[in-house]
Amino acid sequence: GDRPLVIRNLQVGNTAYRLSDTGFRIPPGETRLLRITFAPSFAQTYSTQVSFETNDSQQPTGSIFLTGRGVSR
């Protein structure tokens, strides 16, 4: 499109994951990285999703599914 994409209300559903931002703008023709930190407490699988809202009338909400595995040290 010809307008910036606005991503807002980024939320993750599991405390083993942390997001670097809760929202941002992406200018037309550009990309943006979202850093997701995984810090598990136990040796097990952690699954969740990142949910967000956008200013795109064709897709006003979105989600990204995440799975990570904690290991024993």
Side-chain angles (χ1 to χ4, degrees), residues 47-58:
S47 297
T48 192
Q49 66 180 343
V50 176
S51 59
F52 57 92
E53 299 172 0
T54 78
N55 65 334
D56 182 342
S57 61
Q58 300 289 318

Side-chain angles (χ1 to χ4, degrees), residues 60-73:
T61 62
S63 60
I64 303 165
F65 293 92
L66 305 174
T67 299
R69 174 103 179 122
V71 296
S72 298
R73 291 195 177 228

